[in-house]
Amino acid sequence: MRFLRRSDDTTGNATADTADGAAVDATTPDEHLPRGQTAGKGRATPKRRDAQSAARRPATPAPRTRKEASAYAKANRPSKEARRAAAAERRARMDAGDDRYLLPRDRGPVRAYIRDVIDSRPHLVGMFMPLAILVLVAVVLPVPAIQQYLSLFCLLALVVMIAEGVILAITTTRKARARFPGETIGALGTGWYCFTRASQVRKLRVPKPRVQRGATV
């Protein structure tokens, strides 16, 4: 049969090739690797005792009581020096006007522009805190005549401050809308922001003023 004849020919050729020495390496890839190492892993097989000791190694238990949780938090708390350094850096970033450290109400170019407008000139609203102290003195002072005059003065000053605050809010809102036409700038929120900024003492404002008085904004 042809099938048997072809098989015999193939077998004969293979035998002849082996005999001639053109030879085929019959060893498997694993036989060329060091002992304890396989072709697929690329690293030595760990010993059983090492694997068992790693499995028996206890994990850090979770705190079960409030006292344990407090002790764990205290042990992992940063030192006082680190906390002071972080607070000082955060304060410096806020004073410099870094948006990453500012409060949400102070973030953005619109608020920065409003602060520049407010800081560019003095305002009567800035006398709000001294006026509050003066009112307290008028209440405590046991002289009726002085109380009457101080009360009248404080009332007039308060009316003037409110009027200036309204005018300042309107003008600053118009300037901000003209400077940033694509932004939504509410009159009420902007007006209150202008009043609170202007009523603070200049040295205590946060962020710190970045323009001098009399500057053109």
Side-chain angles (χ1 to χ4, degrees), residues 12-53:
N13 293 333
T15 306
D17 293 338
T18 305
D20 292 337
V24 179
D25 190 1
T27 60
T28 60
D30 293 339
E31 294 178 359
H32 297 284
L33 298 176
R35 184 177 181 181
Q37 184 174 353
T38 60
K41 294 164 59 174
R43 57 182 177 82
T45 304
K47 297 181 180 180
R48 179 178 297 179
R49 61 182 181 183
D50 296 337
Q52 291 178 353
S53 61

Side-chain angles (χ1 to χ4, degrees), residues 133-157:
I133 297 175
L134 189 60
V135 170
L136 182 61
V137 171
V139 172
V140 176
L141 197 64
V143 181
I146 297 179
Q147 286 183 351
Q148 183 178 0
Y149 286 115
L150 286 178
S151 300
L152 181 60
F153 173 77
C154 293
L155 181 60
L156 292 176

Side-chain angles (χ1 to χ4, degrees), residues 91-192:
R91 182 71 179 183
R93 298 277 187 174
M94 290 180 65
D95 291 341
D98 193 339
D99 282 348
R100 296 173 298 177
Y101 296 87
L102 292 178
L103 297 176
R105 66 175 185 179
D106 297 324
R107 295 173 184 170
V110 178
R111 297 294 187 176
Y113 174 75
I114 292 173
R115 291 194 298 269
D116 292 342
V117 172
I118 300 301
D119 298 336
S120 62
R121 63 187 184 90
H123 306 280
L124 293 177
V125 185
M127 300 297 295
F128 182 80
M129 295 302 296
L131 183 65
I133 297 175
L134 189 60
V135 170
L136 182 61
V137 171
V139 172
V140 176
L141 197 64
V143 181
I146 297 179
Q147 286 183 351
Q148 183 178 0
Y149 286 115
L150 286 178
S151 300
L152 181 60
F153 173 77
C154 293
L155 181 60
L156 292 176
L158 184 60
V159 171
V160 172
M161 290 180 185
I162 293 175
E164 187 198 26
V166 172
I167 297 173
L168 181 63
I170 294 174
T171 56
T172 306
T173 303
R174 289 177 180 176
K175 291 180 180 180
R177 288 175 178 175
R179 185 70 173 269
F180 302 95
E183 297 288 340
T184 302
I185 302 174
L188 185 60
T190 304
W192 179 250

Side-chain angles (χ1 to χ4, degrees), residues 61-78 83:
R64 293 174 294 180
T65 62
R66 182 177 298 180
K67 185 176 181 180
E68 292 180 358
S70 177
Y72 180 79
K74 187 176 181 180
N76 292 273
R77 186 182 305 170
R83 293 199 301 269

